[in-house]
Amino acid sequence: MSEQTSAKTPVDFWFDPLCPWAWMTSRWVLEVEKVRDIEVRWHIMSLAVLNEPKLDELNDHYREMMSTSAWEPVRVVTAAWQKHGADILGPLYTALGNRIHNDGQGPTREAIAGALDEVGLPADLIDYADQKDFEFDTELRASHKEGIDKVGQDVGTPVIAVPGADGEQIAFFGPVVTPAPKGEDAAKLWDGTLLVASVEGFYELKRSRTKGPDFSNL
């Protein structure tokens, strides 16, 4: 690792490609890379795994999604990671998110296939989408557990982990924001994230969401 890379502030980011809010936050943190000296390290988590223990509590639509389509993109991303290395996670997530969210395609086979093609991955990775006895299930669940153990079970995606007091890593759910801040606004939100992470015992700031995900500036 180069001296320049090692000097960057590490940001660990856990995402499920299905989640629009994780997508917004991921675009923010990539904007932060342009204005602050940070390095994003991508990791996988799964809304399907997260919701397994409480499927009976979900409404019919969400329960059906968590049982079916929520598995497909995250399986393909996990297989790509296992077969082609962690460096593919960021580019593949971007290619998927542009199609699923910005272009409104949703987690379709067409969206997944297009993303694989864009980043130069083998087309047959899409076969993992509906592999019920998923070959890399252990690795998927381990990555998910690593992220969720940092913040607890009462959250969703995204999870980010940043340096806190004395350099110890502190993780949060969020920040949940729409649209994704750009330029100096992105930098201010990042600076604030580091600030609250430096305060021992800080856990939560929250208000009710009054807007849905806005992808218009992406």
Side-chain angles (χ1 to χ4, degrees):
M1 181 179 293
S2 69
E3 181 178 350
Q4 180 181 7
T5 301
S6 63
K8 293 183 178 181
T9 300
V11 183
D12 288 289
F13 192 109
W14 281 262
F15 69 92
D16 183 321
L18 184 69
C19 179
W21 295 106
W23 175 245
M24 302 297 298
T25 307
S26 73
R27 299 311 92 181
W28 159 69
V29 81
L30 286 179
E31 185 74 9
V32 175
E33 277 195 326
K34 302 175 184 177
V35 293
R36 293 291 186 269
D37 202 18
I38 72 168
E39 177 186 22
V40 183
R41 303 183 298 203
W42 302 100
H43 309 271
I44 299 168
M45 64 182 296
S46 168
L47 290 171
V49 172
L50 185 70
N51 283 285
E52 276 181 331
K54 50 188 178 183
L55 282 177
D56 291 342
E57 303 170 18
L58 305 176
N59 64 53
D60 291 345
H61 171 72
Y62 201 67
R63 181 169 59 250
E64 174 65 18
M65 182 168 60
M66 289 302 105
S67 301
T68 55
S69 60
W71 286 104
E72 296 172 1
V74 78
R75 282 176 178 151
V76 173
V77 173
T78 302
W81 162 43
Q82 289 299 300
K83 286 177 167 286
H84 299 276
D87 287 348
I88 200 62
L89 286 174
L92 181 55
Y93 181 29
T94 291
L96 274 170
N98 282 331
R99 289 167 171 79
I100 292 172
H101 304 297
N102 292 2
D103 298 342
Q105 295 182 33
T108 62
R109 292 306 177 90
E110 292 77 13
I112 298 171
L116 292 173
D117 181 66
E118 179 180 326
V119 299
L121 287 172
D124 61 4
L125 281 172
I126 201 169
D127 295 341
Y128 286 98
D130 53 7
Q131 189 182 74
K132 303 305 181 186
D133 188 15
F134 181 43
E135 180 179 347
F136 303 112
D137 188 67
T138 299
E139 291 81 359
L140 168 58
R141 291 175 183 274
S143 180
H144 174 88
K145 184 176 187 297
E146 181 186 11
I148 211 70
D149 280 353
K150 293 178 180 293
V151 289
Q153 293 291 327
D154 298 328
V155 301
T157 175
V159 169
I160 66 168
V162 301
D166 301 322
E168 180 183 358
Q169 202 175 50
I170 301 294
F172 297 109
F173 162 59
V176 177
V177 61
T178 186
K182 300 288 188 180
E184 187 56 29
D185 285 340
K188 287 192 293 186
L189 180 55
W190 168 251
D191 294 343
T193 301
L194 286 185
L195 180 61
V196 297
S198 73
V199 178
E200 185 177 357
F202 174 83
Y203 289 99
E204 185 174 349
L205 278 172
K206 190 172 183 179
R207 62 175 177 165
S208 296
R209 286 182 296 212
T210 58
K211 296 180 179 179
D214 179 357
F215 312 126
S216 61
N217 68 341
L218 299 180

